Every structure is written in C-alpha cells, then in structure tokens.
C-alpha cells in the first residue's frame, strides 16, 4: 500500500452516494470518479500493481483488492446495487490478436460471471464495457454468446456505443452493455423501439436478432467545446523532431497548408516503411497502452513557421480522459500512460451514470 503522506492528504471521497457498486477490472478508478455522487464503490479489484497505485493514490485502499479475479469468490463480496466490469479488451481489439471472447485475456469476463453466480444476492444492474470489436469479432458471435449468458442469468440487456469525443478531444468509441434484472421495470423514457444515435450498424444488427434486447435511448450530450489545443501543455519541451521525417507526403501537404496547427499521430508501418500518420481534426487518436513504441501518440505543433514534435505527456493523456489536473499519477511515464490508455474516460462514465444507471437504480430499488 502507498505510504506517501502527500497522497493521504489528497484522497477523493467517493462515499457520499445513494447507491453502491462493485468495480471489477477497476484500473485507475476513472469510472469511480465519473460515478462520484451516484454510486460508491464498496469493493474494487484489479491485477495491475501500476494501476492499483494510481487508484490508491487518489481514492485510498480501504475497498481495493489487488489480485487476480480468479481468486475472487462471490460469497465474500458485500452486496452492491451495481456491478461494473471493464473487462480486458486485447483479444477483441484491432490492436490485439482478435482471439475473441474465449481467449485468455478478454475471456476474463467469464470469471466475472462466475463471481456473479457465486453471489448470494446479485446486483439488479450490471454494466460491461469494452472496445467496438466486442460487437463485430467472429461475425458478432462474441457478443451473442455474452448476451445469451446474461439472458440465461435472468437479465435483459442491450449494447450502446459511446465515443469519448462527445466530451473530450479524443476519438475513443467504446461499447457499454447495460443489463437489468428481468423482474425490474426499466423507466420508459430510457427504452426506444429501435436503433438510435447510440447504435452503430453492428449493434443495430445484433439488436434486431437477439432476445431480451433493450434499445437504450437518451438525448445526445451538448456539443463539445474544447479541442486538442486546449489540453496541450505549452511548457513541455519538443524533443522528437526526428519523427517529422516519417510524415507521409499527403499529410505533409496538409501541414504546409496551415500556418498554425495542433495534430496528433501514431507511427505505423505501411508497405514495409515507418510513417507518422497525422490527424488534423482537433482531436487526438485513441490512447493506447505504451507497450510498444508505435503505441505512444505524438503531438505535432506548427506555429510561427516552425514545426516540432514530441510525445504526449502523461498529464495531457489524463486531460484527454477527462481527469482533472489534481488527479495523481504516480510512477513512471509508462505507468501513467498505461493507467490512462486502459481506462474509461471519466465524463463518459458520468454521462452513463446520470442518463441511465442512476435513473435505473432509483426505479428498481425504490419502485
């Protein structure tokens, strides 16, 4: 456990909330932060020591259990109103090996279901989060088998797709499965009769073929006002100008057309050659974990006729996830970047909490 007294003085109090939650695969705790005032995490778990350090630095360690979910027993957990599980995405992500939902990492969702089965009193509300590949890998069968597993456990559910770019200048589409016990009535305002802005084609196709599917609906969030420029630390030194030689010709032409521009990019191999592919739409690409050099995102800034490059700082990565500058990020650059690259954007969790989970909890537990 962390011993630094500075961290002890800056703990974020998550306790004043009307409802409780289990937080599986809790990571750095941005979900708990986003649901602050709505759901108090009374038990949280993750296997990563680096992410646990971030969680404990910000929220304390009273309810956090560091360890493998395989060692968790449902009968040992206190009852909670909600179970949130952001299970590993590597086997469902285009950046991974697409092994599917039965592979070793993304297959940890079955351990979560085992723990759920072992609970003497189960939460009436569940939420699972993952990448878009959950809806499309193996022709949609990965989602179908998970959906049917929830239905077998007497839950009705539906998947929605929400991009963090609605709230922060980062393209980060994610799938959220909201499930409610069959015996509970869902507020009518939250259920539609078919696809809406929350459903991509894969979700719509699945919803039209699956039993106990819920067409979740809500109004679009207000238009985002901040852009990439607004999260940049202007004092951070540019020390990666050498990568500018990797900018492909078509992107260099676009750079040349701007007098001032903030762009981000990843290194990719195209036709056997390394390229730094840029985007100029005022938002960053999806943050990743920093295991490989190509997984770290570069910032390219052109101002006053000069163009320079560097990696995004950890604080900039945190801003792209909606975390305030007061959010503590202990450890190395890679530790902090991983904690953010593997997280759920805080305002996304807040939006889902306010628009769906809080209203569902009030209906099913007070109804």
């Amino acid at each position: 456990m962390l011993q630094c007294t500075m961290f002890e003085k800056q703990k974020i109090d998550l306790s004043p909330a009307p409802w409780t939650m289990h937080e599986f695969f809790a990571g750095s705790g941005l979900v708990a932060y986003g649901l602050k005032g709505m759901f108090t995490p009374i038990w949280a778990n993750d296997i990563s020591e680096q992410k646990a350090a971030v969680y404990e630095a910000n929220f304390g360690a009273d309810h956090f259990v560091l360890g493998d979910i395989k060692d968790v027993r449902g009968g040992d957990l206190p009852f909670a109103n909600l179970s949130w599980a952001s299970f590993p995405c590597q086997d469902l992500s285009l950046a991974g090996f697409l092994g599917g939902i039965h592979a070793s990492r993304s297959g940890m969702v079955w351990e979560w279901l085992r723990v759920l089965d072992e609970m003497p009193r189960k939460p009436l509300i569940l939420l699972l989060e993952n990448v878009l590949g959950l809806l499309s890998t193996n022709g949609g069968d990965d989602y179908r088998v998970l959906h049917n597993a929830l239905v077998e456990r007497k839950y009705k559910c539906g998947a929605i797709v929400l991009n963090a770019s609605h709230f922060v200048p980062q393209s980060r589409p994610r799938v959220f499965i909201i499930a409610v016990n069959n015996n509970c009535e869902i507020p009518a305002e939250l259920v539609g009769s078919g696809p809406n802005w929350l459903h991509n084609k894969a979700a719509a196709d699945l919803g039209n073929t699956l039993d106990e599917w819920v067409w979740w609906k809500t109004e679009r969030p207000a238009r985002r006002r901040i852009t990439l420029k607004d999260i940049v630390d202007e004092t951070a030194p540019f020390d990666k100008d050498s990568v500018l030689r990797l900018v492909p010709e078509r992107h260099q032409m676009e750079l040349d057309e701007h007098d001032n521009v903030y762009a981000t990019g990843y290194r990719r191999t195209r036709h056997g050659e390394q390229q730094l592919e840029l985007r100029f739409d005022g938002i960053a690409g999806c943050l990743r974990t920093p295991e490989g050099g190509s997984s770290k995102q570069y910032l390219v800034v052109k101002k006053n006729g000069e163009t320079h490059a560097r990696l995004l700082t950890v604080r900039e990565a945190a801003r792209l996830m909606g975390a305030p500058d007061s959010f503590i990020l202990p450890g190395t650059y890679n530790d902090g970047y991983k904690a953010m690259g593997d997280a759920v954007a805080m305002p996304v969790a807040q939006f889902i909490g306010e628009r769906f989970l809080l209203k569902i909890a009030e209906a099913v537990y007070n109804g």
Side-chain angles (χ1 to χ4, degrees):
M1 300 301 175
L2 297 173
Q3 301 296 322
C4 181
T5 57
M6 179 186 73
F7 291 166
E8 293 298 326
K9 294 178 181 179
Q10 300 184 47
K11 294 291 187 292
I12 300 163
D13 185 5
L14 299 174
S15 60
W19 310 107
T20 58
M21 66 182 287
H22 297 143
E23 198 179 2
F24 289 82
F25 313 102
S28 57
L30 291 188
V31 167
Y33 208 165
L35 296 181
K36 185 176 183 292
M38 293 178 274
F39 292 85
T40 295
I42 55 174
W43 181 92
N45 165 257
D46 203 282
I47 196 172
S48 167
E49 292 184 1
Q50 294 94 335
K51 295 176 189 175
V54 177
Y55 195 106
E56 294 176 14
N58 288 281
F59 310 114
D62 291 346
H63 63 276
F64 190 94
V65 177
L66 175 64
D68 195 326
I69 190 175
K70 293 179 181 178
D71 298 326
V72 176
R73 298 293 173 262
D76 298 334
L77 272 58
F79 170 75
N81 303 114
L82 164 71
S83 179
W84 182 299
S86 293
F87 63 99
C89 67
Q90 292 94 331
D91 299 305
L92 299 166
S93 169
L94 291 176
F97 298 102
L98 295 179
I101 203 165
H102 294 291
S104 60
R105 293 167 296 183
S106 296
M108 287 295 103
V109 70
W110 305 112
E111 290 293 332
W112 170 76
L113 282 167
R114 172 191 57 77
V115 175
L116 187 70
D117 290 340
E118 293 172 354
M119 295 179 188
R121 185 184 173 198
K122 298 173 177 55
L124 298 179
I125 311 168
L126 312 175
L127 191 142
L128 294 94
E129 178 269 338
N130 215 280
V131 295
L132 289 182
L134 174 61
L135 302 177
S136 58
T137 51
N138 296 314
D141 285 346
D142 283 334
Y143 178 83
R144 289 187 186 94
V145 69
L146 180 55
H147 182 95
N148 290 332
L150 294 172
V151 170
E152 289 170 3
R153 289 164 173 80
K154 310 302 181 185
Y155 290 89
K156 48 197 170 188
C157 57
I160 62 174
V161 175
L162 195 57
N163 198 325
S165 63
H166 287 291
F167 312 96
V168 292
Q170 179 196 177
S171 176
R172 193 179 187 83
R174 290 293 184 266
V175 175
F176 298 87
I177 304 170
I178 306 172
V180 181
N181 183 273
N182 282 348
N183 295 323
C184 301
E185 186 172 348
I186 301 171
E189 66 181 279
L190 303 181
V191 181
S193 57
N196 56 67
W197 70 275
L198 289 167
H199 305 95
N200 63 2
K201 184 180 184 302
D205 290 345
L206 287 164
N208 285 323
T209 60
L210 288 167
D211 294 331
E212 299 296 336
W213 175 277
V214 180
W215 292 110
W216 297 107
K217 73 170 185 177
T218 190
E219 295 297 317
R220 290 178 182 268
R223 186 174 181 179
R224 170 178 50 83
R225 295 186 179 277
I226 65 171
T227 67
L228 177 65
K229 180 181 178 181
D230 298 316
I231 65 92
V232 169
D233 178 1
E234 298 286 1
T235 67
F238 289 95
D239 56 358
K240 299 292 183 182
D241 286 359
S242 60
V243 301
L244 294 174
R245 61 182 173 80
L246 302 178
V247 175
E249 183 178 357
R250 67 188 186 280
H251 290 176
Q252 185 61 53
M253 291 174 62
E254 189 159 359
L255 260 180
D256 294 341
E257 292 175 0
H258 292 84
D259 294 326
N260 296 282
V261 66
Y262 289 74
T264 59
Y266 281 109
R267 284 189 298 169
R268 293 186 171 92
T269 300
R270 304 293 189 193
H271 308 294
E273 294 184 356
Q274 282 268 310
Q275 294 187 351
L276 180 64
E277 298 184 344
L278 304 177
R279 60 185 303 159
F280 299 90
D281 56 358
I283 65 176
C286 186
L287 291 172
R288 307 173 187 171
T289 55
E291 274 72 14
S294 62
S295 294
K296 296 176 182 177
Q297 195 164 182
Y298 288 85
L299 174 71
V300 174
V301 176
K302 182 180 180 182
K303 292 173 65 175
N304 303 320
E306 295 186 2
T307 305
H308 297 288
R310 61 172 172 79
L311 292 173
L312 285 175
T313 68
V314 172
R315 183 53 60 190
E316 288 166 342
R319 291 171 182 170
L320 288 172
M321 295 300 291
D325 286 355
S326 58
F327 196 74
I328 301 167
L329 294 165
T332 65
Y333 175 93
N334 278 1
D335 290 342
Y337 201 92
K338 181 176 182 179
M340 294 297 99
D342 252 2
V344 176
M346 189 183 78
V348 174
Q350 184 178 23
F351 180 83
I352 292 174
E354 291 174 347
R355 295 295 187 91
F356 293 105
L357 301 179
L358 189 59
K359 294 177 180 178
I360 295 170
E362 290 170 348
V364 305
Y365 287 107
N366 289 337

